[in-house]
Every structure is written in structure tokens, then in C-alpha cells.
């Protein structure tokens, strides 16, 4: 992984400014914070022309990798840390063969290279934090053995705070870092253990960023989708399919569509049962049919689109109306599709909500409790009313599961349609059937 691939206009601009600053190396030596030998070595490269620095690194690369890391470990003034991080970046820029020199520093001192870098992440200076993140990403991604949790986990935790924060510089850099790290399987599983990272990805996409950020975030999700356990759970936990469909539909760059379609293919290949229903509910089938008619410069898109089209078509053809309903229910994205307002549908299928210990009824009431979308709430309240209308004994399980209390709460909801549907549902829940004498 080349450090030059992690680009940042913010870091480039500030690096130029920081290079002109003087660092009090002699003062550090007089205070016994660095040795005379370290002072002599750092003066050979600090504020020196690039050609001279390159000549020094060519002959003494390992010495200088250790020097930079040792000084970073000993000196904690922000301007000094900025200077050292720039020197490390300069050493690595266009010289990937020097990465092992920094990794092998652990043979001399087990704290190196990661302890001083992880501490630098906590500095109250955005430049230091982001420059450190770049360097850590390069080193971690190049490790020849599985990454140690004590090095990776704190870094990912910091990245999760960056990705959800208000700083666009931190957000951009963290996404770039994750895009690189997720190429490693051990990183994918560690990222999966930090939900805020994926929540952050979804928040970014929902804000409709530019094409490059849309691509980078989607690329991260694509890499995650290669893991079986992640492909099985990611939509259930983070509702990624509707957001990715929307991102692809509004995309102006082919590469954004390509990586999202590839993500969908992974999700279908790994766990079709978990993901196909949500894809159908989100109207992915008509979208991929449209994609199949377009001209593409990349053959991989065509292959993935046709694969999705066939899989979704096969699933769609085999669906009964009740399958359609349960797919919509499982996705949590209820809308006014025809089944909800069909008396025939509810006469035929109301009791099926009782199957498997009321599995679908529990799902319906969970949607009713968890959703904040007015359309979803209105449809769910309506469905509870239809269920008890066509299956009178259903009033007890609805009440026991908290559905009745929730519907009554919704009678004061700000949305008029939600209030109306909740009122109709409550009427069904409290009505008494005529008794035949």
C-alpha cells in the first residue's frame, strides 16, 4: 500500500506550511530529551533539500526509521510531532520498499512502530491525527502476519469517531483509511465488531455525497460483503440495501453503480434468503432490468446485472402474495402495496401471522414500535387492525406483545394519517363481537 494513494488536500497544504517551521532540536538535546547522536542525525534531514534527504535514506534507511519512531515516542510537543510525521511520510512517499524498515523497528523496541503512533492519534491537533492515521494505515495494511488486536482495535475506534464527527477532513481521511484496511480479512471482522463505523457509512450515503465519496463508502461495503457472517447480518442490522439502491439510482458515475451492483451480487451469492426479500421490496428488480438495457464500458457490470436480474426474477416468479407481504414485513419498509388493503388477502392470511409462535405478528409489532417513518407506522397500525378484524382471538397476543399499547400511543402522533390508521385499529382492538344466543 503506497502512502501516495491516501490523498488529502488539507494535509498537503498544511505539510507545506509546517515544513517552514523551526523545531528546537538543540533545546531538546540540552534538556537531555534527545542524545547528541540523535541531534546530529536529525539535522541531516530536517529542513534539507529532498535530494539530500533521499541520499541519506538510501544509505541509512533503517537507522532513520528507528530515529523518527524513537523521537516520536519521546517528544510530544505538537509542532515536533507534526515535523516527525512529515519526515516519516517523506521517507515512505514513492518508496514502499521502506515500509518493512518501520515494521522491523519492533525487533529493536517492542513499542515500535505502533505505540507512539497510536498515542499521536489522541493529540488535540487535526493535522497530527490525520497524518498519523495515514501512516498507521500504510503500516497495518503491509503487515505480513495477522494484525494484533491491541494495535488495530484502538485505531478503528478512533476512525469510527472521525467518520461520525463533524470534520469533513476527518471523515474523508477515515473513509480512505478504511477503504485500504478492509482489503484484509482480519480487518473486516474487527470493523464488524464496531457498529459505529457501518452506521457512519450509511449516514454519509444518506447525505448524498459526491461521486467519489459515494464510490469509496460503497467500496468499503463491498469489501465487507465478502464475509459470510457479515453478508448474512449487515442488512438486517444496518438496512443497507434501500440506501444502496437509492445511491445507485441517483449515481452519475459508472464506477458507483459497478461497486454497488457487485455488493448486491455478493449479498445474494452468500446469503440469498437473508437479502433477496429486501431487494425485491426496494424495487431492485425493475432497476436492474433498466441497467441491463444500458451500454457499459466494464463487462463486469453486465455480468453482475444479468446475474441479479435472473436471481431476482426467479425469486419474484415463485412468490405468493403472502410471501410478498412477509418480505416487505421483514425488510421493515412497509408501504401501501395492494396486499395491505385487500380484504381477501387478510381473510386468507391473517391466521398465518400466528405460525411459528406468532413469528410474523412479532415482526409486525416490532416494526410498529421501532419505526419513525410515518408511512411505515400508518401501514403497520392498519395491518394490526386487519389482523384482529379477521382473527378475533388475535387481540390477546397483540396486547401481550405490546401492540395495543403502541397503537394507542400513535393516536396522538403528529402525522394525521398515522393518527387516523391508529384510531381505526384501536376500534378493532376494543370492539366486542356479537354473541349468538
Amino acid at each position: 500500500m503506497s502512502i501516495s494513494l491516501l490523498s488529502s488536500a488539507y494535509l498537503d497544504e498544511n505539510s507545506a506550511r509546517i515544513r517552514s517551521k523551526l523545531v528546537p532540536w538543540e533545546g531538546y538535546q540540552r534538556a537531555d530529551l534527545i542524545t547528541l547522536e540523535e541531534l546530529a542525525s536529525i539535522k541531516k534531514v530536517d529542513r534539507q533539500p529532498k535530494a539530500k534527504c533521499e541520499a541519506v535514506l538510501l544509505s541509512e534507511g533503517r537507522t532513520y526509521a528507528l530515529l523518527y519512531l524513537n523521537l516520536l515516542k519521546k517528544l510530544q510537543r505538537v509542532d515536533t510531532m507534526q515535523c516527525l510525521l512529515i519526515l516519516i511520510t517523506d521517507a515512505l512517499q514513492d518508496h514502499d520498499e521502506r515500509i518493512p524498515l518501520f515494521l522491523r523497528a519492533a525487533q529493536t523496541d517492542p513499542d515500535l512502530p505502533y505505540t507512539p503512533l497510536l498515542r499521536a492519534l489522541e493529540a488535540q491537533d487535526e493535522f497530527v491525527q490525520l497524518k498519523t492515521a495515514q501512516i498507521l494505515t500504510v503500516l497495518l495494511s503491509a503487515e505480513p502476519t495477522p494484525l494484533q488486536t491491541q494495535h488495530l482495535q484502538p485505531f478503528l475506534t478512533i476512525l469510527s469517531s472521525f467518520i461520525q464527527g463533524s470534520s469533513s477532513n476527518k471523515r474523508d481521511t477515515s473513509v480512505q483509511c478504511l477503504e485500504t484496511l478492509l482489503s484484509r480479512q482480519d480487518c473486516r471482522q474487527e470493523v464488524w465488531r464496531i457498529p459505529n463505523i457501518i452506521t457512519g457509512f450509511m449516514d454519509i450515503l444518506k447525505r448524498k455525497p459526491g461521486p467519489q465519496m459515494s464510490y469509496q463508502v460503497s467500496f468499503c461495503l463491498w469489501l465487507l460483503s465478502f464475509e459470510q457472517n457479515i453478508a448474512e447480518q449487515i442488512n438486517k442490522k444496518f438496512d443497507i440495501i434501500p440506501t444502496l439502491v437509492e445511491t445507485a439510482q441517483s449515481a452519475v458515475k459508472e464506477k458507483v453503480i459497478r461497486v454497488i451492483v457487485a455488493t448486491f451480487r455478493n449479498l445474494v451469492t452468500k446469503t440469498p434468503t437473508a437479502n433477496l426479500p429486501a431487494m425485491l421490496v426496494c424495487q431492485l428488480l425493475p432497476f436492474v432490468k433498466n441497467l441491463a438495457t444500458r451500454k457499459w464500458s466494464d463487462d463486469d457490470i453486465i455480468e453482475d446485472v444479468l446475474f441479479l436480474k435472473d436471481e431476482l426474477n426467479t425469486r419474484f416468479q415463485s412468490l405468493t402474495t403472502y410471501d410478498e407481504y412477509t418480505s416487505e414485513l421483514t425488510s421493515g419498509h412497509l408501504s401501501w402495496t395492494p396486499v395491505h388493503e385487500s380484504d381477501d388477502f387478510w381473510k386468507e392470511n391473517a391466521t398465518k401471522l400466528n405460525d411459528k409462535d406468532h413469528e410474523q405478528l412479532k415482526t409486525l409489532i416490532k416494526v410498529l414500535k421501532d419505526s419513525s417513518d410515518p408511512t411505515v407506522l400508518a401501514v403497520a397500525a392498519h395491518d394490526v387492525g386487519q389482523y384482529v378484524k379477521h382473527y378475533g382471538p388475535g387481540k390477546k397476543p397483540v396486547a401481550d406483545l405490546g401492540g395495543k399499547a403502541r397503537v394507542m400511543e400513535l393516536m396522538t402522533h403528529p402525522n394525521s394519517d398515522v393518527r387516523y390508521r391508529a384510531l381505526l385499529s384501536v376500534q378493532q382492538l376494543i370492539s366486542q363481537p356479537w354473541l349468538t344466543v
Side-chain angles (χ1 to χ4, degrees):
M1 166 64 200
S2 173
I3 201 162
S4 60
L5 296 178
L6 295 166
S7 61
S8 166
Y10 165 79
L11 290 178
D12 292 344
E13 290 164 10
N14 280 276
S15 293
R17 177 180 56 78
I18 290 164
R19 285 179 198 281
S20 64
K21 288 184 176 180
L22 286 169
V23 176
W25 301 115
E26 289 85 355
Y28 287 139
Q29 190 276 317
R30 288 193 296 272
D32 289 329
L33 293 172
I34 65 174
T35 66
L36 274 170
E37 184 183 358
E38 287 171 332
L39 174 62
S41 295
I42 198 69
K43 293 297 281 184
K44 285 184 184 179
V45 292
D46 183 38
R47 294 163 55 81
Q48 296 300 315
K50 183 177 179 182
K52 184 176 179 181
C53 294
E54 281 298 315
V56 172
L57 291 168
L58 188 62
S59 59
E60 302 178 73
R62 179 143 194 242
T63 299
Y64 274 81
L66 273 169
L67 174 68
Y68 296 158
L69 291 168
N70 272 320
L71 293 179
L72 194 62
K73 182 179 177 181
K74 291 197 279 189
L75 305 173
Q76 296 180 44
R77 243 178 68 165
V78 166
D79 57 348
T80 306
M81 293 169 73
Q82 290 174 338
C83 174
L84 289 166
L85 292 167
I86 288 173
L87 287 170
I88 293 172
T89 303
D90 288 347
L92 296 174
Q93 190 84 33
D94 302 321
H95 286 282
D96 293 357
E97 75 279 2
R98 291 178 186 154
I99 296 173
L101 302 179
F102 287 86
L103 295 177
R104 287 200 291 269
Q107 296 168 4
T108 305
D109 179 348
D111 282 347
L112 304 181
Y114 295 113
T115 298
L117 288 166
L118 289 169
R119 190 187 63 205
L121 276 179
E122 298 173 3
Q124 298 303 303
D125 179 81
E126 189 165 80
F127 180 89
V128 169
Q129 289 178 319
L130 299 188
K131 204 61 169 160
T132 302
Q134 281 190 331
I135 294 166
L136 276 169
T137 298
V138 170
L139 297 182
L140 288 167
S141 64
E143 280 283 4
T145 56
L147 299 177
Q148 295 183 38
T149 302
Q150 71 263 31
H151 298 149
L152 182 58
Q153 199 271 343
F155 182 34
L156 292 177
T157 300
I158 291 286
L159 289 181
S160 75
S161 69
F162 287 176
I163 206 171
Q164 291 197 300
S166 57
S167 165
S168 60
N169 295 321
K170 288 183 176 180
R171 197 162 50 245
D172 292 351
T173 299
S174 61
V175 170
Q176 286 189 53
C177 292
L178 288 162
E179 191 181 1
T180 299
L181 291 169
L182 285 167
S183 62
R184 295 184 61 120
Q185 184 180 25
D186 47 1
C187 282
R188 292 176 206 154
Q189 293 298 337
E190 205 61 46
V191 165
W192 182 241
R193 295 185 184 97
I194 304 175
N196 282 347
I197 292 179
I198 302 170
T199 300
F201 286 155
M202 302 318 296
D203 289 344
I204 289 171
L205 289 180
K206 287 171 184 174
R207 288 196 290 266
K208 309 214 180 317
Q212 184 60 22
M213 180 57 76
S214 293
Y215 171 76
Q216 289 174 314
V217 171
S218 300
F219 189 86
C220 290
L221 294 170
W222 173 64
L223 290 170
L224 284 165
S225 71
F226 280 93
E227 301 301 308
Q228 182 73 32
N229 63 313
I230 297 175
E232 187 171 347
Q233 292 289 321
I234 192 166
N235 186 65
K236 184 177 180 181
K237 289 187 175 182
F238 299 99
D239 206 24
I240 73 165
I241 289 173
T243 303
L244 285 176
V245 170
E246 193 174 333
T247 302
Q249 286 173 333
S250 60
V252 294
K253 293 286 187 181
E254 181 176 302
K255 67 179 184 179
V256 177
I257 297 173
R258 179 181 71 233
V259 75
I260 291 175
V261 167
T263 304
F264 287 153
R265 179 167 188 164
N266 276 358
L267 294 177
V268 170
T269 303
K270 299 277 183 189
T271 51
T273 306
N275 294 305
L276 277 170
M279 291 178 182
L280 286 168
V281 169
C282 293
Q283 300 297 304
L284 183 58
L285 180 56
F287 180 55
V288 295
K289 284 180 177 177
N290 175 272
L291 294 180
T293 66
R294 298 192 202 173
K295 293 191 186 303
W296 304 101
S297 61
D298 186 338
D299 288 344
D300 285 345
I301 298 188
I302 300 165
E303 185 183 331
D304 289 347
V305 163
L306 293 177
F307 170 85
L308 283 174
K309 180 183 168 188
D310 290 345
E311 290 293 318
L312 288 163
N313 240 334
T314 302
R315 176 82 180 201
F316 182 73
Q317 297 300 333
S318 65
L319 285 180
T320 63
T321 52
Y322 186 68
D323 290 331
E324 287 183 51
Y325 178 74
T326 56
S327 294
E328 191 180 338
L329 199 54
T330 303
S331 77
H333 294 279
L334 301 182
S335 60
W336 290 112
T337 51
V339 293
H340 298 282
E341 299 187 277
S342 164
D343 256 9
D344 289 341
F345 171 80
W346 285 106
K347 283 176 190 173
E348 185 179 337
N349 296 295
T351 56
K352 292 182 182 176
L353 269 65
N354 304 330
D355 295 348
K356 298 181 183 177
D357 189 27
H358 297 89
E359 180 181 19
Q360 297 303 334
L361 180 62
K362 288 174 181 175
T363 304
L364 173 60
I365 291 172
K366 186 176 187 306
V367 171
L368 193 67
K369 289 178 177 179
D370 294 350
S371 181
S372 58
D373 184 293
T375 300
V376 173
L377 291 173
V379 176
H382 165 84
D383 286 2
V384 168
Q386 289 298 303
Y387 166 70
V388 297
K389 175 183 176 182
H390 293 280
Y391 177 66
K395 292 172 185 175
K396 185 177 187 310
V398 167
D400 292 345
L401 293 166
K404 181 176 179 180
R406 176 58 175 154
V407 171
M408 294 182 81
E409 282 176 16
L410 293 176
M411 290 173 66
T412 58
H413 193 275
N415 181 276
S416 60
D417 193 39
V418 173
R419 292 197 302 272
Y420 173 66
R421 301 292 175 173
L423 174 63
L424 294 181
S425 184
V426 167
Q427 288 174 349
Q428 295 294 337
L429 285 163
I430 65 175
S431 65
Q432 296 294 325
W434 290 99
L435 297 176
T436 304
V437 180

